[in-house]
């Protein structure tokens, strides 16, 4: 008969990763339970350092991430998810506040990697490759690196000094960023010649046209270029919003057409420039792709919404204004996106405004970067014709042939993947981005140990203070509240030295008396071999967060038992 023995056996939390069933956790593979535990202990700097292992943009993600981690959080089944995103911001801002920077890696591989595009995908791949010892150069078309985080997402959601710090941190790992360096298809053969591998991460920036007569009139603007003009302007950096409004000349009444991130950022930016804004969308509120929190904030800021309206014509009106003709729609059968399709009703109405800004989505820039003849529809990587050199793709440039696009955190995950592929291509070494481990799902957590407790409400600046400036709208959690909220975490699958196993071990478990660290957490205790009995299984049952396991003393488990038994 096989005898089973207890061992410590950490697991992955569902919030941290996508599991085999497709449940979405953090695409950036953040070690969520360990950074939350560090906050709970009051060690904010350790939390910052744990996050920097996976995510160079925690200061950004802690502010604007779509936070799929919270949808996967076990605590959702108990009361409400842990405030992972807000706590990530608190941890990230600790490094920013203290001005913590890394030292360049000692390892040097002698390999050179070029990255085209300095958005979150390109910069993340550069960050990981530099830490692995490769020489990395990023070519960025704009005057500042950061991609859409820098020139799409407005300052009131991601302040300039935080963005500057996160980019500088990457540079301090040894990455060289060349700004104002747009790459054209004709440059690609030279870049391939000079480097050992090339990553293209130029994003999806080509604004889609709405496809009605007049959508290309001179005063009909596209959302991303408008945001870029505002976000990269010298006026915004020196806080002179009046001068900015005057130069941009956006007018008093603005119509925004669209219902995604871009439409909301355009509308809320226009409000801060002093405009009165109406958003027209061909579907309904519940079908908008922007985050629900954004819709609520936009409404509070006085933005009006007209749903089920399809633009049919844009033309010049009196006094330099524009007249838009819309057709009313009703909802029909679901389309390929799973949302009910807007069906035109034939009923028309018009609106007159000073400015029309369209924001209905963006297409990949890949055809603008790769020379003709290079296939541009591969998921991750394309082989350059006539040579061994390979071009790796990362981030939203894969839009149209990968579903994993359209969010900063996905671009970060994709940047990690590209870095791992390039590293393997250059050195033959395969990296494990996530350890292969079981997942501590809700059913494995002993919820009897925990009490119901509400999550935090994030502080915001009053609505009346949001016009005429780009001050950050959502504020950070105070440190004491952050610690309390981090303490709501079950710390699924990791050992936090809570001693429940020790107490239930009836003398069969010895403490190693070493301080908690994110790297050693499976080995804080040892079993005393001669005292382990069938009763010791109660220690495994007692662990609130599923960090132990009963295993046979043979095969793959023998090593773990030998390590953990004295
Ligand atoms: C207005 C707006 C708001 C958004 N808000 C959010 C949000 O709140 N949360 C969220 O998760 N996601 C948001 N997104 C989506 C998110 O910004 C993108 O998914 C993400 O930035 C994609 O990252 P990327 O690195 O692939 O591309 P990008 O961020 O687009 O970066 C690509 C970079 O490549 C550069 N480049 C392009 N062509 C060249 C060239 N030929 N040579 C050199 N450089 C070049 C560009 O200048 C840019 O810096 C938003 C998108 C938009 C448009
Ligand atoms: S990066 Fe986004 S998904 Fe990942 S832990 Fe942070 S908020 Fe969650
Ligand atoms: S309770 Fe904590 S560790 Fe568990 S899934 Fe939620 S955030 Fe992750």
């Amino acid at each position: 008969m096989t005898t089973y023995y207890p061992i410590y056996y950490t697991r992955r939390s569902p919030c941290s990763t996508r599991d085999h069933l497709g449940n979405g956790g953090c695409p950036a593979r953040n070690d969520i339970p360990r950074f939350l535990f560090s906050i709970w202990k009051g060690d904010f700097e350790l939390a910052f350092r744990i996050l920097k292992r996976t995510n160079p943009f925690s200061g950004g993600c802690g502010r604007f991430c779509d936070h799929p981690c919270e949808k996967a959080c076990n605590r959702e089944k108990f009361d409400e998810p842990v405030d992972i995103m807000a706590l990530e911001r608190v941890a990230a801002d600790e490094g920013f506040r203290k001005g913590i920077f890394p030292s360049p890696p000692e390892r040097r591989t002698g390999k050179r990697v070029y990255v085209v595009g300095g958005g979150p995908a390109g910069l993340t791949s550069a960050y990981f490759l530099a830490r692995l010892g490769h020489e990395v150069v990023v070519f960025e078309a704009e005057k500042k690196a950061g991609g859409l985080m820098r020139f799409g997402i407005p300052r009131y959601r991601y302040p300039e000094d935080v963005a500057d710090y996160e980019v500088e941190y990457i540079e301090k790992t040894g990455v060289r960023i060349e700004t104002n360096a747009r790459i054209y298809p004709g440059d690609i053969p030279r870049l391939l010649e000079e480097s050992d591998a090339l990553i293209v991460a130029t994003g999806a920036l080509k604004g889609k046209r709405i496809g009605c007569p007049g959508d290309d009139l001179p005063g009909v603007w596209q959302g991303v270029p408008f945001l870029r003009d505002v976000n990269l302007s010298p006026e915004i950096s020196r806080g002179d919003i009046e001068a900015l409004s005057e130069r941009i000349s956006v007018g008093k009444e603005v119509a925004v057409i669209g219902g995604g991130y871009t439409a909301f950022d355009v509308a809320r930016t226009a409000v801060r420039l002093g405009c009165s804004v109406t958003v027209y969308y061909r579907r309904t509120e519940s079908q908008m792709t922007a985050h629900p929190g954004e819709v609520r904030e936009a409404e509070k800021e006085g933005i009006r919404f007209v749903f089920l309206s399809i633009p049919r014509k844009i033309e010049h009106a009196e006094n330099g204004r524009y007249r838009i003709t819309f057709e009313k729609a009703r909802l029909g059968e679901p389309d390929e996106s799973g949302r009910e399709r807007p069906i035109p009703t034939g009923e028309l109405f018009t609106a007159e405004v000073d400015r029309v800004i369209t924001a209905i989505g963006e297409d990949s820039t890949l055809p603008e970067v790769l020379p003709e003849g290079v296939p541009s529809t591969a998921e991750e990587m394309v082989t350059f014709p006539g040579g061994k050199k390979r071009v790796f793709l990362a981030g939203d440039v894969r839009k149209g042939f990968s579903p994993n696009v359209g969010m900063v955190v996905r671009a970060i995950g994709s940047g990690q993947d590209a870095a791992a592929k390039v590293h393997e291509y250059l050195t033959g070494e395969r990296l494990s981005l996530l350890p292969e481990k079981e997942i501590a799902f809700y059913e494995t957590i002993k919820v009897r140990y925990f009490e119901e407790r509400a999550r935090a409400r994030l502080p915001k600046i009053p609505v009346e203070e949001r016009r005429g400036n780009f001050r950050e709208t959502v504020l950070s959690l105070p440190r004491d509240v952050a610690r309390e909220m981090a303490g709501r975490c079950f710390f699924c699958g990791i050992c936090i030295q809570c001693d429940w196993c020790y107490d239930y071990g009836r003398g069969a478990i010895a403490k190693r008396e070493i301080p908690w660290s994110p790297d050693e957490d499976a080995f804080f205790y040892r079993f005393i071999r001669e005292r382990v009995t069938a009763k010791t299984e109660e220690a495994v049952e007692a662990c609130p967060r599923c960090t132990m396991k009963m295993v046979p003393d043979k095969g793959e488990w023998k090593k773990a038992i030998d390590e953990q038994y004295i």
Side-chain angles (χ1 to χ4, degrees):
M1 199 181 76
T2 310
T3 314
Y4 284 81
Y5 294 86
I7 59 164
Y8 290 92
Y9 181 80
T10 55
R11 288 166 171 85
R12 284 201 324 246
S13 59
C15 57
S16 287
T17 182
R18 189 168 291 277
D19 68 33
H20 59 289
L21 301 172
N23 299 312
C26 172
R29 305 170 168 101
N30 278 350
D31 191 347
I32 295 169
R34 291 184 181 84
F35 101 75
L36 291 177
F37 181 61
S38 305
I39 292 184
W40 189 43
K41 284 196 311 146
D43 194 341
F44 291 79
E45 189 175 321
L46 180 58
F48 162 82
R49 291 187 189 281
I50 291 171
L51 283 166
K52 276 286 185 220
R53 292 177 179 184
T54 48
N55 186 352
F57 294 108
S58 275
C61 288
R63 289 170 163 83
F64 54 62
C65 187
D66 255 25
H67 50 77
C69 55
E70 293 187 16
K71 286 196 196 82
C73 172
N74 276 339
R75 184 101 197 186
E76 189 178 26
K77 298 195 176 76
F78 186 67
D79 48 12
E80 293 180 289
V82 176
D83 306 74
I84 304 170
M85 182 176 102
L87 293 163
E88 180 165 2
R89 169 178 173 170
V90 175
D93 285 358
E94 181 75 1
F96 168 63
R97 201 173 56 79
K98 289 186 173 165
I100 298 174
F101 285 106
S103 16
E106 279 162 20
R107 179 180 172 182
R108 289 270 175 261
T109 61
K111 302 285 183 189
R112 180 186 293 160
V113 183
Y114 281 167
V115 179
V116 184
L123 291 176
T124 301
S125 55
Y127 174 66
F128 278 86
L129 287 164
R131 292 197 311 174
L132 289 162
H134 305 295
E135 180 195 341
V136 190
V137 184
V138 176
F139 300 97
E140 166 52 46
E142 296 292 346
K143 65 177 180 182
K144 283 197 164 197
L148 280 169
M149 293 187 305
R150 179 74 87 165
F151 59 80
I153 294 176
R155 301 283 166 86
Y156 61 84
R157 296 208 287 130
Y158 186 39
E160 188 173 19
D161 49 359
V162 181
D164 285 344
Y165 167 69
E166 301 209 291
V167 171
E168 194 181 343
Y169 192 97
I170 292 169
E171 287 178 301
K172 291 267 163 69
T173 60
V175 174
R176 199 171 94 222
I177 303 176
E178 291 194 7
T179 48
N180 293 315
R182 181 171 291 280
I183 298 299
Y184 296 94
D187 299 319
I188 298 290
R190 175 180 58 83
L191 297 188
L192 281 164
E193 196 52 47
E194 290 174 7
S195 67
D196 296 295
L198 180 69
I199 296 176
V200 174
T202 46
L205 299 166
K206 260 176 63 185
K208 288 183 185 159
R209 286 179 55 180
I210 52 179
C212 73
D215 71 350
D216 58 347
L217 286 176
V220 177
W221 294 349
Q222 291 233 339
V224 170
F226 164 72
L227 290 168
R228 181 192 164 281
D229 270 3
V230 172
N231 289 332
L232 294 183
S233 70
E235 294 93 341
I236 203 170
S237 295
R238 55 172 203 267
D240 192 349
I241 306 308
E242 221 169 284
L244 176 64
S245 305
E246 210 174 298
R247 180 175 62 78
I248 286 194
S249 164
V250 67
K252 287 263 169 289
E253 277 180 82
V254 174
V256 178
I257 299 176
Y261 279 134
T262 312
F264 277 84
D265 283 342
V266 166
R268 297 182 68 194
T269 293
V271 163
R272 281 158 178 79
L273 294 174
C275 309
S276 150
V277 183
T278 308
V279 174
Y280 295 88
Y281 183 49
R282 65 197 181 112
R283 299 173 189 261
T284 57
E285 179 176 350
S286 60
Q287 296 175 315
M288 287 182 141
T289 50
H291 198 266
E294 281 271 303
V295 182
R296 281 195 298 277
E297 287 307 306
E299 279 172 341
K300 279 197 233 158
E301 288 167 13
I303 293 165
R304 287 174 303 279
F305 292 89
V306 181
F307 295 108
L308 293 169
S309 38
I310 305 171
R312 289 299 183 211
K313 187 167 60 175
I314 306 175
E315 56 200 333
H316 288 294
E318 302 287 298
N319 302 322
R321 282 162 64 89
Y322 295 85
R323 184 180 309 110
I324 320 169
T325 304
F326 290 97
E327 181 172 355
K328 282 195 177 167
R330 62 176 174 78
L331 290 182
E333 292 300 306
D335 61 15
E336 61 285 353
S337 73
R339 296 174 298 170
E340 290 151 312
R341 191 188 304 272
I343 310 281
T345 61
E347 192 183 334
L348 301 178
F349 68 98
T350 58
E352 268 193 34
V353 290
D354 296 314
R355 184 70 59 208
V356 185
I357 309 181
T358 65
I360 59 158
E362 295 80 28
D363 286 327
S364 170
T365 51
L366 198 55
E368 293 168 19
V369 187
L370 286 188
E372 254 180 67
V374 174
S376 57
T377 52
E379 158 72 1
E380 305 284 358
M381 183 199 82
V382 290
T383 306
F384 198 72
K388 272 192 184 163
K389 296 277 189 172
R390 291 196 289 181
V391 181
F392 297 80
L393 306 181
D396 280 9
V397 75
R398 300 168 309 139
K399 192 168 179 179
F401 49 92
S402 167
N404 255 332
V405 293
M407 277 184 207
V408 167
V409 69
R410 287 182 179 160
I412 292 167
S414 165
Q416 294 173 350
D417 293 339
K421 288 199 177 87
V422 168
H423 183 69
E424 189 179 348
Y425 171 63
L426 295 177
T427 64
E429 188 184 352
R430 181 169 287 201
L431 300 176
S432 146
L433 292 172
L434 260 185
E436 280 299 317
K437 281 187 173 180
E438 291 172 19
I439 297 172
F441 285 116
Y442 184 70
E443 297 66 35
T444 69
I445 304 299
K446 314 286 176 350
V447 290
R448 63 176 183 274
Y449 290 101
F450 302 97
E451 283 173 8
E452 284 188 21
R453 201 144 143 223
R455 59 190 254 138
R457 300 284 165 259
L458 285 174
K460 298 188 181 103
I461 60 167
V463 174
E464 51 287 3
E465 286 176 25
R466 298 184 195 173
R467 284 188 173 243
N469 68 75
F470 280 75
R471 268 175 57 204
E472 189 160 24
T473 307
V474 181
L475 306 175
S476 192
L477 289 178
R479 287 162 83 88
D480 55 336
V481 179
R483 287 188 67 177
E484 209 183 309
M485 289 301 118
R488 288 182 66 243
C489 179
F490 296 150
F491 307 118
C492 307
I494 69 161
C495 174
I496 61 161
Q497 299 177 315
C498 70
D499 279 357
W500 280 104
C501 56
Y502 177 78
D503 293 343
Y504 276 81
R506 299 165 188 253
I509 296 175
K511 287 193 207 181
R512 287 180 62 213
E513 303 295 352
I514 52 171
W516 185 86
S517 105
D519 303 312
E520 290 222 51
D521 66 356
F523 308 106
F524 296 126
Y525 303 88
R526 287 277 185 268
F527 293 94
I528 304 166
R529 198 177 283 270
E530 66 268 18
R531 295 203 195 149
V532 171
T533 65
K535 285 268 180 207
T536 319
E537 189 172 352
E538 285 176 16
V540 178
E541 285 304 307
C543 174
R545 44 204 112 250
C546 195
T547 311
M548 301 178 80
K549 191 177 175 109
M550 296 298 291
V551 296
D553 187 12
K554 59 184 180 191
E556 57 176 313
W557 301 111
K558 212 171 166 352
K559 187 165 168 270
I561 293 176
D562 285 346
E563 275 171 4
Q564 294 187 26
Y565 279 62
I566 45 175

